[in-house]
């Protein structure tokens, strides 16, 4: 499935991932340090975010501050499918209610785009299957 939204700078594909469920893959070469795209979601309180996180295993919420969070679960942007890796090829940058993705290194066509989720609401309850050398084994 080819996927493109107004917020993506590069052609991306959403397809089954070896890591988990669906992943987002580069459909063209992406140079190191370039902005890949961004996702926008629903602005909610951190209290609501914690309630939603307890109800769903597959959720994507990013906390912006001690009080505000964004829920991307209903977003149609392909980058919401970005999987975690303990050795990612991209990073998140959170600014003003949106999450931007930047390449950490050159990414080849067909490579899955991954980021390090950092602190998640899963609190180590999910098994990490990223397969990277030095994988922590937990999310
Ligand atoms: Zn891992």
């Amino acid at each position: 499935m080819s996927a493109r939204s107004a917020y993506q700078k590069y052609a991306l594909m959403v397809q089954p991932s070896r890591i988990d469920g669906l992943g987002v893959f580069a459909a063209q070469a992406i140079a190191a340090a370039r902005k890949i795209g961004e996702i926008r979601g629903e602005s909610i309180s951190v209290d609501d975010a914690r309630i939603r996180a307890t109800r769903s295993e597959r959720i994507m919420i990013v906390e912006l501050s001690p009080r505000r969070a964004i829920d991307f679960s209903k977003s149609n942007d392909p980058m919401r499918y970005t999987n975690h890796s303990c050795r990612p090829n991209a990073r998140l940058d959170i600014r003003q209610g949106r999450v931007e993705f930047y390449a950490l290194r050159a990414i080849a066509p067909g490579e899955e785009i991954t980021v390090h989720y950092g602190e998640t609401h899963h609190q180590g309850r999910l098994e990490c299957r990223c397969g990277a050398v030095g994988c922590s084994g937990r999310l």
Side-chain angles (χ1 to χ4, degrees):
M1 173 176 31
S2 171
R4 194 146 210 177
S5 86
Y7 305 130
Q8 310 314 318
K9 308 287 185 196
Y10 290 90
L12 304 170
M13 294 175 294
V14 175
Q15 53 191 47
S17 164
R18 280 184 307 141
I19 298 173
D20 186 40
L22 292 172
V24 63
F25 294 74
Q28 63 182 113
I30 301 171
R34 299 300 292 271
K35 181 177 174 180
I36 303 168
E38 65 186 55
I39 51 178
R40 297 173 182 224
E42 179 190 357
S43 180
I44 59 174
S45 71
V46 165
D47 288 344
D48 284 341
R50 299 224 158 115
I51 291 166
R52 290 183 187 191
T54 61
R55 287 184 186 151
S56 173
E57 285 270 301
R58 290 181 189 275
I59 197 161
M60 182 174 185
I61 290 175
V62 173
E63 291 187 15
L64 301 176
S65 75
R67 298 174 66 188
R68 300 304 298 174
I70 309 179
D71 182 352
F72 298 100
S73 305
K74 291 187 189 123
S75 162
N76 291 319
D77 295 313
M79 300 220 71
R80 68 169 287 243
Y81 293 103
T82 307
N83 276 315
H84 165 90
S85 172
C86 297
R87 297 186 87 182
N89 55 18
R91 68 176 174 83
L92 300 174
D93 195 2
I94 299 167
R95 47 180 79 182
Q96 295 178 348
R98 57 186 199 266
V99 177
E100 301 178 343
F101 292 75
Y102 291 87
L104 285 173
R105 59 167 172 77
I107 299 173
E111 258 193 274
E112 180 168 3
I113 295 167
T114 55
V115 296
H116 198 294
Y117 283 178
E119 204 169 297
T120 74
H121 289 287
H122 300 305
Q123 296 167 325
R125 286 181 285 123
L126 289 186
E127 193 182 340
C128 183
R129 294 187 294 259
C130 79
V133 175
C135 173
S136 66
R138 293 272 150 218
L139 267 185

